[in-house]
Amino acid sequence: MTRHRAPSRRRTVRRLQATSAGMATGLLVTGLLAAPAQAQSRTDTGTGAPIGTAARTVGAASFEPGPCPKTPEPIEALQGARCGTLTVPENRAKPSSRTIKLGVAIVPAAADTPKPDPIVWLAGGPGDDSVGEAKMAIDGGLNRDRDVIFMSQRGTYSADPALLCPNIDQFNARAVGLVYGAPSTERLHVEATKACRDQLAGRGVDLSAYNDTESAADYADLRTALGIEQWNMFGISYGTHLALVYTRLHPEGLRSVGIDGILPPSSAGSALTWSSARQGFDGLFKACAEQPACNRRYPNLSATFDRLVRDLEAHPVTTTVTLPGNPKPVKVVLDGGALVNWMTSATHVAPQVPRALDELAHGKPQRIAQQWAGGKLNPQAMGRVSHGLAYGIFCSEWTPYESQEQALQGGQEAFPSFPRSVLAQAPQLTFLRPDCDVWKVPAAPRTIRDVTRGDIPTLALSGGFDSQTGAENGPYVARTLSRAKVVTVPYEPHVVFASSECAQEITVSFFDTPAAPKTGCLNSLEPPEFEIGP
């Protein structure tokens, strides 16, 4: 789930992003193995033709082979892909609904004799385009012996229509120079959200149709339109939310499910976001305390962080930073809310965090300010995220089923020392409730909050430093999934597949043998070496 971007960690592409009230999707980071672009899959649908090479209509959905979906930058992993378009109704509840088009790309398996059941990838966000995450999937070796299918979720970058609204991204960039939780900032933020809504509604978009129920039906239609008897599913960040809804509504033809950076639909919302932040922060602080050099130089780091949040909320700090590729100095205001949101993403660069907090405590805010502003002003934060899809999910599936009091209570339980003004805005979900007031979509049926039950083999992956979707979400969803395997990769942030070779190895082995994934690599993992300043 992502509303803002994380600071750079290895080679990042995006991360719950500088989006609307999104939960971090996960950082896209270079992984292990890249399949040769010329690899040709022998996987087929029983007709002798590879998946995705034949036109097919099933019910109201149709697949047509064609050019690959557009991406913001060229993606080498897609050069050998088989591509096309899935056409589906925008709103299945309305017989007169118009149709929408979703881009599809199928990356062939690298193996000469691939397995017959492909893997379909569900992107983060809400609002990321699955096709744009192909590099992470393929670099991580996911297509070793299976085709991997990417489809642009409705409303995302390569879908038609795309519900992007770059005006929100532009406001997020401007907002680094505003007091984070001020009423004046809220007013401008909600104005940007309403302008987005008005622009999309003016184009004839049925905003009530951009949700998990419709998206899950899109993927069910994709499987039948491609003629696939059985497939596997892998979702990251918000994609785990959709994967769990899909598993509940469309279990037929589903061999196994991997979820990484878990966001349970039954409990998603502000309170869960606060709980996740506490878990991720504590994991990082504990790792520093257990490392003699870090503990000696930065003792009581958790207390330092809590004090900084309180002090900055009472007395915001204003500074100026220069960003790479941006010659103009950028004004940055750091208050308590901004620091909490920076920290939520900064677990992606965990080795830097103790030093950065210590510098801030000693009157040097530049490192944190530069990372905070750099994520918001990054060109990759502009015009790529589907705010229409994000608000469609938040405002129909989350806010109707979590009161403002419950959200505040979740914050108070996780961070009892924080000022109420900070607790009023959950990390990554700033001004969510007033945003939803102007978005004006009906609540989803209460069943959208049902837990997912069943016996489909499931790999529940989490990171020990994940402050966006806490590691406790793994055991939570596994309670009602009788064949779930829960794995927490220590010392890793949100979306471990993006940053951990061990997580990639576990994931690939899970799809080979869902009952017994190989987890031995966990035994050799070591904590990061934290930076020690002068």
Side-chain angles (χ1 to χ4, degrees):
M1 146 184 112
T2 334
R3 177 166 202 158
H4 48 77
R5 286 179 182 274
S8 173
R9 182 178 195 266
R10 297 193 199 169
R11 185 176 175 185
T12 64
V13 179
R14 157 177 171 74
R15 173 89 219 255
L16 352 146
Q17 277 128 14
T19 82
S20 60
M23 285 203 64
T25 105
L27 276 287
L28 311 189
V29 193
T30 301
L32 282 177
L33 309 173
Q38 70 274 15
Q40 293 298 313
S41 170
R42 292 169 177 77
T43 304
D44 60 49
T45 60
T47 64
I51 295 171
T53 57
R56 183 183 176 102
T57 297
V58 179
S62 60
F63 176 79
E64 183 70 32
C68 286
K70 65 177 181 178
T71 56
E73 297 90 19
I75 298 178
E76 185 178 354
L78 297 177
Q79 289 182 6
R82 301 184 299 274
C83 298
T85 302
L86 182 75
T87 301
V88 295
E90 184 177 44
N91 190 331
R92 291 173 173 83
K94 297 180 179 179
S96 61
S97 172
R98 68 174 182 175
T99 59
I100 60 175
K101 297 183 181 297
L102 311 176
V104 178
I106 303 166
V107 175
D112 288 336
T113 307
K115 303 291 174 57
D117 46 294
I119 299 169
V120 61
W121 176 280
L122 302 186
D128 288 351
D129 191 326
S130 175
V131 180
E133 295 181 350
K135 175 176 172 53
M136 176 167 64
I138 304 310
D139 282 357
L142 208 59
N143 73 321
R144 186 185 67 187
D145 49 17
R146 283 179 171 82
D147 290 358
V148 181
I149 302 171
F150 304 90
M151 182 173 75
S152 52
Q153 190 180 349
R154 56 175 49 211
T156 59
Y157 185 87
S158 63
D160 182 13
L163 280 53
L164 304 181
C165 290
N167 74 294
I168 291 181
D169 305 321
Q170 293 158 5
F171 173 77
N172 288 338
R174 174 188 168 196
V176 300
L178 306 175
V179 175
Y180 187 83
S184 56
T185 305
E186 175 179 344
R187 176 178 56 79
L188 294 171
H189 181 99
V190 174
E191 285 178 3
T193 302
K194 186 176 186 302
C196 170
R197 187 207 188 279
D198 292 346
Q199 183 257 329
L200 295 177
R203 287 164 44 194
V205 174
D206 182 349
L207 296 174
S208 68
Y210 291 80
N211 55 54
D212 281 320
T213 301
E214 290 286 358
S215 289
D218 294 340
Y219 280 94
D221 282 345
L222 177 67
R223 184 181 69 84
T224 56
L226 291 178
I228 298 170
E229 181 177 346
Q230 189 176 60
W231 68 3
N232 307 274
M233 182 166 280
F234 188 67
I236 65 165
S237 191
Y238 155 73
T240 68
H241 190 285
L242 178 56
L244 289 165
V245 172
Y246 180 95
T247 302
R248 182 171 61 83
L249 297 179
H250 305 281
E252 58 278 359
L254 192 53
R255 173 179 175 266
S256 68
V257 180
I259 46 178
D260 176 4
I262 301 164
L263 181 60
S266 56
S267 58
S270 296
L272 185 68
T273 305
W274 280 117
S275 170
S276 294
R278 179 84 273 175
Q279 293 170 54
F281 298 174
D282 284 351
L284 191 156
F285 296 148
K286 182 173 183 289
C288 174
E290 292 174 347
Q291 197 168 106
C294 189
N295 188 51
R296 221 173 13 249
R297 181 66 181 81
Y298 309 114
N300 302 316
L301 196 60
S302 178
T304 298
F305 174 70
D306 285 5
R307 175 175 58 79
L308 284 169
V309 171
R310 295 193 301 271
D311 290 351
L312 287 175
E313 190 65 7
H315 306 287
V317 168
T318 300
T319 188
T320 301
V321 298
T322 302
L323 303 176
N326 189 344
K328 295 182 61 176
V330 176
K331 174 189 171 185
V332 179
V333 176
L334 294 177
D335 63 357
L339 184 62
V340 170
N341 277 268
W342 166 81
M343 183 67 181
T344 304
S345 285
T347 49
H348 288 273
V349 288
Q352 301 179 31
V353 168
R355 182 176 181 179
L357 290 173
D358 183 71
E359 289 176 357
L360 179 62
H362 288 87
K364 299 177 181 178
Q366 284 73 26
R367 182 191 297 256
I368 289 177
Q370 191 166 41
Q371 291 181 348
W372 176 237
K376 296 294 190 72
L377 275 71
N378 190 320
Q380 294 174 348
M382 303 294 166
R384 303 191 183 195
V385 177
S386 174
H387 297 279
L389 175 61
Y391 283 121
I393 291 162
F394 298 143
C395 302
S396 70
E397 301 178 22
W398 293 16
T399 57
Y401 300 107
E402 180 184 59
S403 69
Q404 196 163 3
E405 291 72 24
Q406 289 171 321
L408 182 62
Q409 183 180 355
Q412 291 170 333
E413 291 174 355
F415 296 95
S417 71
F418 282 7
R420 187 181 180 92
S421 57
V422 172
L423 297 176
Q425 310 297 337
Q428 311 168 81
L429 300 175
T430 312
F431 309 130
L432 180 58
R433 197 163 293 276
D435 281 339
C436 286
D437 287 343
V438 300
W439 200 255
K440 297 185 185 303
V441 290
R446 183 168 286 276
T447 52
I448 197 65
R449 306 287 287 188
D450 286 353
V451 298
T452 300
R453 305 178 184 276
D455 60 359
I456 294 171
T458 303
L459 175 65
L461 277 171
S462 299
F465 288 175
D466 189 346
S467 54
Q468 295 169 286
T469 56
E472 292 179 5
N473 293 346
Y476 171 81
V477 299
R479 296 174 313 158
T480 53
L481 298 169
S482 62
R483 298 171 69 189
K485 174 72 172 178
V486 177
V487 176
T488 298
V489 183
Y491 319 122
E492 290 292 337
H494 184 58
V495 183
V496 293
F497 188 89
S499 56
S500 167
E501 294 182 3
C502 180
Q504 294 165 357
E505 179 182 323
I506 292 168
T507 302
V508 173
S509 72
F510 167 75
F511 289 118
D512 281 346
T513 55
K518 298 177 181 178
T519 59
C521 60
L522 295 170
N523 299 325
S524 60
L525 298 181
E526 297 182 353
E529 184 176 343
F530 291 96
E531 292 183 14
I532 305 298

